Amino acid sequence: MWPFTRKKADQVGETVDAAIALAAERWRDFESKSNLPDNINLRDRVRFFAAAFKNSLAAELPAMEAAPHEVLLLVICKGIEKSGRLSRQQIERQLGVVLPPG
């Protein structure tokens, strides 16, 4: 295979991993500092979080600025999972998504 193709794929993976780590960090901050009532469901919490996170993600990782909405949602969901605040099963059930392994 061509070496530059592999390197680009590795860079994309590293960027997505960095985005997930940033989402996990920001989700922990959001959960501890937001004044949202406890009865707000996860879908709405993610909606509030995503609005601010999208801007900070683009500032920290410019390559993610053009990412489609679906990729942003995946990054956020994986970040929530990585944050340890909710289990994979809780996220999948409450948001109606299936997260990839890893």
Side-chain angles (χ1 to χ4, degrees):
M1 201 72 172
W2 299 345
F4 62 86
T5 304
R6 177 130 175 121
K7 185 173 182 178
K8 184 173 182 173
D10 290 344
Q11 289 172 338
V12 169
E14 289 171 6
T15 301
V16 170
D17 289 345
I20 291 169
L22 182 63
E25 176 187 323
R26 298 287 164 81
W27 182 259
R28 285 188 290 268
D29 289 344
F30 174 77
E31 284 284 286
S32 66
K33 295 176 183 174
S34 75
N35 294 324
L36 294 175
D38 291 338
N39 65 345
I40 300 291
N41 64 40
L42 182 60
R43 185 176 304 268
D44 290 334
R45 287 179 182 277
V46 167
R47 189 173 296 132
F48 288 116
F49 174 77
F53 179 67
K54 184 175 182 178
N55 294 331
S56 66
L57 178 64
E60 299 236 2
L61 297 166
M64 293 295 294
E65 187 171 10
H69 175 74
E70 295 82 6
V71 172
L72 180 62
L73 178 60
L74 177 63
V75 164
I76 290 171
C77 289
K78 292 297 286 181
I80 294 170
E81 179 186 24
K82 185 174 182 152
S83 76
R85 301 288 182 158
L86 293 169
S87 72
R88 168 191 217 81
Q89 293 78 16
Q90 289 172 307
I91 296 166
E92 290 179 339
R93 185 178 61 249
Q94 291 181 40
L95 296 180
V97 299
V98 177
L99 297 177

